[in-house]
Amino acid sequence: IPIEHNRKRRLKNNYGVDMKKKEVLRGCALIRVSTNKQDIYGGSLEQQKNRLQRWVEAQGLFRDVDFVIEHWFEERTSGKSSNTANRGPLRDIQKLIESGLADFVLFEKLDRLSRDSVFNMEFMRLADKYGCEVYDVDSGGKIDMRERGSRLGFLVKNMSAEDYSLELGEKVSKKVREAMVNNGKEASTKPILGLDPLQTIIFGGHI
């Protein structure tokens, strides 16, 4: 009897997870950087990959699910909305989902997927339609659009991701315009806040 008891105990790991009842999910992971500088100074492809692998290993210890990453997609490109249509790996991931070959999609944080709020929303709808789970490690795990807290968290991050991209574009445009003005190559009379002096607005001939 003691021998049988010990044999049964060995079917569970140190965290009490029943190893015989483990479900296996097979899917893909996406890692992305916008620039080579980002790859060098922080959030590199290698760092992202290591973090996703550690997350997968942790899930195997604490949950009755094993995540198997069968496809890795790596990108060195901008996540801004104007670039979404040109990103081959995104199309490849969507094809895997539509073909029923991806139980899950994993990335470090939402803006690694894209900074296009419309695309991200459509991506979530596609994943839900084909029963593919989407995991955002930075937010703690699964994005569940049927659960209010998870849905609200996604909406806030989705809006922030695109807003960051728009703000960055505005800053770049301003710097380019400033350089052109300083070099005498900009003839436009349209003022830029923080660069051009404020113009007096006159109503009805009076200041």
Side-chain angles (χ1 to χ4, degrees):
I1 296 176
I3 294 177
E4 178 67 15
H5 176 68
N6 288 335
R7 187 188 70 80
K8 288 182 177 180
R9 285 180 57 189
R10 286 198 297 272
L11 296 178
K12 293 187 177 183
N13 66 13
N14 294 334
Y15 300 95
V17 176
D18 192 333
M19 306 301 286
K20 288 186 67 177
K21 295 182 179 179
K22 271 183 166 293
E23 179 185 6
V24 177
L25 297 180
R26 304 180 184 279
C28 57
L30 172 68
I31 54 179
R32 182 184 67 80
V33 292
S34 298
T35 63
N36 291 331
K37 183 182 292 187
Q38 184 181 6
D39 200 16
I40 296 173
Y41 294 108
S44 69
L45 294 175
E46 183 179 2
Q47 289 173 329
Q48 291 178 48
K49 188 170 186 177
N50 289 339
R51 187 180 182 193
L52 297 187
Q53 288 175 326
R54 289 195 302 271
W55 183 88
V56 165
E57 292 170 3
Q59 300 308 301
L61 288 176
F62 296 105
R63 297 178 54 184
D64 55 359
V65 176
D66 273 334
F67 290 83
V68 179
I69 300 176
E70 295 190 329
H71 305 277
W72 284 93
F73 294 94
E74 301 184 5
E75 290 187 286
R76 295 177 186 272
T77 188
S78 170
K80 62 185 180 180
S81 58
S82 60
N83 193 45
T84 304
N86 300 320
R87 293 173 57 190
L90 288 184
R91 294 195 297 273
D92 292 338
I93 291 174
Q94 289 174 308
K95 289 178 183 177
L96 285 174
I97 294 174
E98 292 170 341
S99 301
L101 299 177
D103 296 324
F104 69 90
V105 176
L106 177 67
F107 41 79
E108 183 186 37
K109 50 185 179 177
L110 184 61
D111 59 27
R112 299 298 188 196
L113 179 64
S114 89
R115 292 187 179 279
D116 182 340
S117 62
V118 174
F119 171 83
N120 289 344
M121 185 64 75
E122 292 176 347
F123 185 88
M124 292 303 303
R125 292 195 183 103
L126 179 72
D128 181 68
K129 178 180 178 181
Y130 290 94
C132 176
E133 299 178 347
V134 180
Y135 289 86
D136 171 358
V137 172
D138 203 48
S139 295
K142 182 180 176 180
I143 301 175
D144 187 353
M145 298 299 282
R146 300 173 187 272
E147 196 276 315
R148 185 172 184 272
S150 181
R151 183 173 64 252
L152 290 176
F154 165 80
L155 293 174
V156 170
K157 284 183 173 292
N158 195 31
M159 181 176 64
S160 298
E162 182 162 42
D163 183 68
Y164 175 86
S165 180
L166 293 173
E167 182 183 17
L168 186 62
E170 291 170 357
K171 287 181 179 179
V172 171
S173 296
K174 183 176 177 180
K175 287 183 178 296
V176 170
R177 167 78 193 286
E178 183 175 3
M180 294 179 70
V181 169
N182 291 339
N183 291 321
K185 297 180 179 180
E186 173 60 80
S188 172
T189 58
K190 183 178 179 181
I192 294 181
L193 185 62
L195 173 59
D196 300 321
L198 293 177
Q199 298 181 350
T200 302
I201 300 177
I202 301 178
F203 297 96
H206 302 284
I207 294 178

